Amino acid sequence: MELLCERLTGQGAAPLPVDRFGPNVVVDGGDEPHTEGRARRLALNGAELGYAEPAVRCADTTVDQGSGARSGPEPLRALGGHRRTASGGVVFGAKFTVLRPGKVAVGDAVAVSSWGGPEW
């Protein structure tokens, strides 16, 4: 999210809140942007998640979640310049499936037990 906001402000646009992407879980930290695309298994507070696929984004990301108003081409335009798949989709984030349910809360530590390469 930080790299996206840097790109947006570098183009003269305002940074965007993470709620534009409808995440269920947001993980801060990491040494590099977009490491979620390489994580294959995650554990957090007893729950275990397995990587399913990259999250291809749609026009919903251009809607202000507070007002419901469309706000233009961002973030799709900024992401499309560096996060586009061969088939044309714009990727931001990843989708995971629940392998073992558990109670997840804000502030839980996340441990990655398996890594792979990005799919796109």
Side-chain angles (χ1 to χ4, degrees):
M1 192 69 202
E2 189 176 315
L3 178 60
L4 172 59
C5 288
E6 286 175 19
R7 287 180 180 271
L8 289 170
T9 57
Q11 297 171 0
L16 296 175
V18 72
D19 70 358
R20 288 285 184 96
F21 298 94
N24 292 12
V25 175
V26 175
V27 179
D28 281 337
D31 296 333
E32 299 174 24
H34 310 297
T35 56
E36 72 281 353
R38 295 187 307 104
R40 294 297 176 255
R41 277 186 120 82
L42 305 174
L44 54 161
N45 201 28
E48 188 174 358
L49 306 176
Y51 178 84
E53 63 187 2
V56 176
R57 299 305 175 160
C58 67
D60 288 351
T61 60
T62 67
V63 176
D64 180 299
Q65 299 301 300
S67 69
R70 289 206 184 270
S71 63
E74 298 303 355
L76 295 176
R77 180 174 54 187
L79 289 170
H82 72 290
R83 303 280 301 164
R84 191 171 297 278
T85 66
S87 62
V90 174
V91 175
F92 190 78
K95 295 180 182 181
F96 289 80
T97 187
V98 176
L99 301 174
R100 183 177 62 230
K103 187 174 182 179
V104 178
V106 173
D108 285 347
V110 176
V112 177
S113 61
S114 177
W115 293 94
E119 282 190 33
W120 60 275

